[in-house]
Amino acid sequence: MEALRLVLLYVHLIGFALLLGGAVAQYLSGRLRINPAMLWGSVIQLLTGVGLSAPLRDGDEPAPAKLVTKLVLALLIFVMVFFSRKRAQVARGHFLAIVGLTLVTAAVAVFWR
């Protein structure tokens, strides 16, 4: 089971890289819109996060409050990305909120023990 957890964690990190990297690339291009990397990154993050929350370890599961917090953040990011993906331009605040929530999600994962 540890191998499965590590594979899920690896794919989860790839999703994070796609989401944040896609957002940074769009921001630096000057045209704020949702690109396919951001969409796929949010989908991967959500699906692998649910898989990682399954009780695959022996008594070393994260706190339920942490899991719920991360799920709510992942759902918010996914909804914000999914429903804005076809717009030619996304509002600056909306785009920066996606980036901010992505960074907050990573901070919750790292600092909440």
Side-chain angles (χ1 to χ4, degrees), residues 46 66-78 101 105:
L46 185 60
K66 177 181 178 179
L67 295 177
V68 169
T69 302
K70 286 196 45 104
L71 177 63
V72 168
L73 289 170
L75 283 171
L76 281 171
I77 293 168
F78 173 72
L101 287 173
T105 303

Side-chain angles (χ1 to χ4, degrees), residues 22-102:
V24 168
Q26 280 303 133
Y27 187 79
L28 293 177
S29 76
R31 189 164 178 234
L32 301 181
R33 62 184 312 267
I34 305 300
N35 60 27
M38 292 174 67
L39 177 62
W40 281 106
S42 67
V43 169
I44 291 169
Q45 285 279 102
L46 185 60
L47 294 177
T48 58
V50 169
L52 283 168
S53 68
L56 298 176
R57 293 165 282 221
D58 297 328
D60 191 26
E61 287 83 20
K66 177 181 178 179
L67 295 177
V68 169
T69 302
K70 286 196 45 104
L71 177 63
V72 168
L73 289 170
L75 283 171
L76 281 171
I77 293 168
F78 173 72
V79 166
M80 291 174 75
V81 168
F82 184 78
F83 290 111
S84 303
R85 73 189 189 282
K86 292 186 180 178
R87 293 185 186 166
Q89 188 93 5
V90 178
R92 181 177 172 82
H94 182 90
F95 191 84
L96 292 177
I98 293 170
V99 174
L101 287 173
T102 302

